[in-house]
Amino acid sequence: MKLLDDPVYRMACQQFDRAADVLGMPEQFRERIKQPKRCISVSMPVLMDDGSVQVFWGHRVQHHLTLGPTKGGLRFSPQVELGEVAALAMWMSWKCALVGLPYGGGKGGVNCNPRELSLRELEMVTRRYTQEMMPFIGPQTDVMAPDMGTNEQTMAWMMDTYSMHAGHAVPAVVTGKPVSIGGSLGRREATGRGVAFLIGRVMEILQMEPQGTTAIIQGFGNVGSVAAYALRRFGIKIVGISDFSGALFHEKGLDLEKLEAHVLANRSLEGFSEGQWMSNEELLVQPCDILVPAAVERTITENNAHQLKCRILAEAANGPTTPEADGIIDEREDIFLIPDVLCNAGGVIVSYFEWVQDLQNFFWSEVEVLDRLYRVLEPALAAILKRAKERKISHRNAALCLGIERVMQAKQMRGLFP
Ligand code: NAD
């Protein structure tokens, strides 16, 4: 489809086709399940601090409406394309179905560089985007959450803009909000903690001891930093970390607190005094037991998949591994893959808990949130491993098959509207 033509969309379609083949999905179903239901693109003129007016592009893709509202993050990035957003929305659909949430997948993006905008400009971009999306979003229609380049503050502005139009507070219109306005305890950390929980479970399966185990994390934002601290709490040494500016590798282990303080002061890792400075590409192929891509799509490709030196590949980011690299990793058999649709599902699971709490005006303790999170992740991991073993397919294929077949069954039960 020309409108969505983009490498990331093509990759999501390729993954879908592979899973549909395994499922033996009838041809008549394939396009109906794969194609997004709605793609919304808007131009957004914004008054900048210097008095000029800059026009940004904003997108929202709602993949399917079969099981409930659409759900998924909003990304601020100069690289955002409609096709990429559609791919991310499709992955959200399989992810929600895999872990049993009553949602279709959604994703949004604004074509801007948040690092180059002032706080006022960021607020104007966010409010304008929310305003433009007003007819298409709502607690029962489409619920957004933070993703790359957005955070709790972004969600607070969105919730305020929507609520001002409604005439009353509507906290359930977004998740990942500050706790003071209806956010859930544990939501900010949920994705990273889910990643660490799953790595811990896989280490048990592989009989790996935390002592002496090393991890490399690509991306030191919300997901990467929380995962790094959580893994360190297990006793794992973090030997490599990267961000948009480059990468650091330190065999003896990086000092996370010092690193975080440096990033807060300088807005990037660059210039940190410890470890060896290298490119992002070089970091991915350094020796480690656990590799956690937690940044952008398509960083593990046919060019580096042969050279990975990890035992566990935990996909905290969405779509970090290309289908070509998947083929290589499958053949190698020495890497245990935790596929993205499971690995980073902690975020949307706790977003679901936040939405439920907001709709009921009844809030849970952090212990309750985390306990429920792990009780969703654990059986999902077990189901993937069981399916992979029974059908002799990769973990990715097993995870996608489980998610896709649930969406297919729901569509079959509802039937085709005339
Ligand atoms: P973030 O904006 O908080 O952090 C992103 C990090 O990646 C930053 O440190 C940034 O400098 C770094 N980065 C950007 N481009 C890079 C590159 N080319 N190489 C290396 N590092 C780079 O974003 P986040 O919320 O942590 O999201 C990270 C990933 O996790 C994304 O793929 C996102 O879709 C996925 N994810 C996030 C959530 C969530 O709850 N935030 C949930 C599920 C999945």
Side-chain angles (χ1 to χ4, degrees):
M1 195 182 184
K2 274 223 171 91
L3 180 69
L4 303 175
D5 194 29
D6 173 271
V8 187
Y9 187 69
R10 283 199 294 276
M11 170 176 152
C13 290
Q14 243 175 300
Q15 290 179 349
F16 172 87
D17 291 338
R18 280 187 188 176
D21 287 344
V22 173
L23 289 170
M25 187 185 289
E27 214 44 59
Q28 75 201 66
F29 263 114
R30 295 198 182 203
E31 287 308 295
R32 185 175 158 205
I33 293 179
K34 184 162 66 175
Q35 303 289 354
K37 170 57 63 187
R38 296 183 184 135
C39 301
I40 305 139
S41 290
V42 293
S43 65
M44 313 185 309
V46 170
L47 182 63
M48 307 302 282
D49 289 350
D50 65 3
S52 67
V53 173
Q54 198 172 323
V55 179
F56 297 91
W57 273 97
H59 308 288
R60 184 73 184 166
V61 174
Q62 301 172 345
H63 182 247
H64 79 82
L65 313 176
T66 309
L67 287 164
T70 38
K71 184 86 195 75
L74 169 64
R75 175 175 290 197
F76 284 0
S77 156
Q79 276 89 39
V80 161
E81 297 289 342
L82 181 61
E84 178 198 25
V85 176
L88 289 160
M90 200 195 298
W91 285 325
M92 281 303 293
S93 286
W94 318 143
K95 188 185 305 178
C96 291
L98 171 69
V99 293
L101 306 183
Y103 293 136
K107 204 78 179 191
V110 174
N111 208 260
C112 68
N113 187 345
R115 282 187 297 276
E116 288 173 1
L117 298 179
S118 69
L119 196 64
R120 191 202 68 85
E121 289 168 340
L122 272 175
E123 179 174 354
M124 292 306 112
V125 168
T126 306
R127 288 188 183 277
R128 182 73 196 216
Y129 177 81
T130 313
Q131 165 68 39
E132 298 286 356
M133 292 295 161
M134 201 71 70
F136 311 103
I137 61 174
Q140 300 301 336
T141 322
D142 185 14
V143 182
M144 300 207 205
D147 192 79
M148 271 183 61
T150 57
N151 55 26
E152 291 185 345
Q153 177 62 77
T154 323
M155 295 304 115
W157 289 326
M158 293 188 81
M159 180 258 190
D160 182 69
T161 306
Y162 189 89
S163 300
M164 291 307 287
H165 279 267
H168 55 89
V170 189
V173 70
V174 288
T175 58
K177 301 175 291 295
V179 173
S180 57
I181 55 168
S184 175
L185 291 168
R187 170 60 187 91
R188 200 182 62 76
E189 303 84 5
T191 312
R193 285 205 179 156
V195 171
F197 171 80
L198 290 163
I199 291 173
R201 288 294 298 114
V202 169
M203 284 175 65
E204 281 170 28
I205 294 168
L206 299 176
Q207 298 180 329
M208 288 166 68
E209 291 296 329
Q211 259 57 44
T213 298
T214 57
I216 288 179
I217 301 181
Q218 184 192 41
F220 197 56
N222 172 301
V223 179
S225 64
V226 173
Y229 281 110
L231 290 177
R232 196 185 59 178
R233 271 196 297 279
F234 292 167
I236 294 166
K237 198 160 56 173
I238 312 301
V239 293
I241 286 190
S242 65
D243 74 358
F244 73 94
S245 66
L248 280 163
F249 182 74
H250 195 10
E251 255 174 8
K252 294 203 167 95
L254 289 158
D255 182 333
L256 297 182
E257 283 79 5
K258 249 171 129 176
L259 200 66
E260 192 178 4
H262 178 88
V263 172
L264 271 175
N266 302 283
R267 302 186 84 182
S268 82
L269 291 178
E270 203 172 359
F272 189 63
S273 54
E274 291 169 14
Q276 185 188 344
W277 185 249
M278 56 179 68
S279 70
N280 252 293
E281 293 71 29
E282 284 172 293
L283 183 71
L284 291 173
V285 297
Q286 297 304 311
C288 66
D289 299 298
I290 303 159
L291 179 62
V292 186
V296 287
E297 299 95 43
R298 297 168 59 80
T299 53
I300 297 173
T301 66
E302 74 248 60
N303 298 327
N304 59 13
H306 281 296
Q307 299 161 46
L308 299 185
K309 298 182 184 72
C310 59
R311 177 73 184 96
I312 299 174
L313 175 58
E315 294 184 330
N318 286 303
T321 309
T322 64
E324 296 76 23
D326 262 340
I328 296 167
I329 290 168
D330 285 354
E331 272 174 24
R332 284 182 53 162
E333 289 182 356
D334 58 339
I335 295 181
F336 190 109
L337 175 78
I338 311 179
D340 53 359
V341 286
L342 172 71
C343 193
N344 65 37
V348 72
I349 294 168
V350 177
S351 273
Y352 166 65
F353 296 161
E354 181 174 328
W355 180 71
V356 168
Q357 291 171 74
D358 286 338
L359 292 176
Q360 298 185 339
N361 278 310
F362 178 62
F363 291 89
W364 313 346
S365 70
E366 188 170 350
V367 172
E368 204 172 347
V369 168
L370 289 175
D371 181 51
R372 283 177 190 263
L373 166 64
Y374 301 149
R375 279 194 279 135
V376 177
L377 289 176
E378 174 96 52
L381 172 66
I384 291 170
L385 299 186
K386 183 166 179 276
R387 175 67 67 98
K389 200 169 168 196
E390 279 171 4
R391 303 279 169 94
K392 296 188 174 53
I393 53 177
S394 68
H395 294 167
R396 179 172 331 280
N397 242 341
L400 291 175
C401 282
L402 285 164
I404 291 169
E405 80 185 354
R406 284 179 191 157
V407 176
M408 182 173 76
Q409 283 160 2
K411 283 192 185 284
Q412 274 173 321
M413 286 310 291
R414 283 189 56 165
L416 188 62
F417 187 74

